[in-house]
Amino acid sequence: MSGIGKRLTDAGLALPEPMTPPPGLEFNFELVRISGQYAYLSGHGPYDGTHPLVQGTVGAELSVEQGYAAAGQAALSMLASLQQVLGDLDRVTNWLKADVSVNAVPGFAHTTLVANGFSDLILNLWGPAGRHARSAPGVAALPFNIPVVVDAVVEITG
């Protein structure tokens, strides 16, 4: 088992099925695009395969804590896609940038607290190599009414 795989297990976490388009839709983009020593990750939400794990707007149907948990689930979804493409999460050597869009009510001022659900999980797994630049805008809506979408850039080996 890889180092990151062991840390996931030790934390009691498991990767979901990698995101796939819902029936009747096709992705016309790649979830993970490799270029040189970088992997560019398309937006991932809290999904298990085609199924959203949580839906709703933070500040209305969902609390900050529920949004935080959804951001962690989005991180696991992203890791499932990375695992599928790279074969081993230990190939990720540095997390460089993450954009966490939060589906929130107008005036919601705690998007960074929600986004911490993503960042905390990555930092817990990668340690200092998990520190990344980040933005966390609030948005009026996200696909399928999911509460967060995260895209990222990571540095990889081999």
Side-chain angles (χ1 to χ4, degrees):
M1 178 180 294
S2 72
I4 297 299
K6 180 169 177 5
R7 287 186 200 116
L8 278 165
T9 300
D10 290 348
L13 300 172
L15 297 182
E17 290 296 315
M19 276 180 32
T20 54
L25 294 177
E26 297 294 325
F27 287 154
N28 62 354
F29 57 90
E30 294 183 47
L31 290 173
V32 179
R33 174 83 171 153
I34 306 294
S35 180
Q37 64 188 27
Y38 302 102
Y40 298 85
L41 294 117
S42 293
H44 282 70
Y47 274 89
D48 187 357
T50 61
H51 307 289
L53 298 171
V54 61
Q55 293 175 297
T57 303
V58 181
E61 300 92 359
L62 302 175
S63 67
V64 170
E65 294 78 16
Q66 289 169 311
Y68 177 96
Q73 291 170 322
L76 293 173
S77 177
M78 185 174 278
L79 297 181
S81 292
L82 272 170
Q83 174 76 30
Q84 183 177 48
V85 171
L86 298 177
D88 184 356
L89 291 174
D90 286 349
R91 288 187 57 199
V92 176
T93 58
N94 284 299
W95 286 80
L96 303 175
K97 175 77 169 114
D99 292 311
V100 183
S101 296
V102 179
N103 179 4
V105 295
F108 183 78
H110 303 292
T111 57
T112 57
L113 297 177
V114 172
N116 284 346
F118 174 85
S119 297
D120 288 348
L121 190 142
I122 297 303
L123 283 167
N124 286 336
L125 294 173
W126 269 268
R131 288 192 68 80
H132 50 272
R134 187 185 82 188
S135 59
V139 297
L142 288 172
F144 306 105
N145 196 34
I146 58 175
V148 295
V149 168
V150 184
D151 62 89
V153 179
V154 299
E155 190 173 15
I156 60 173
T157 62

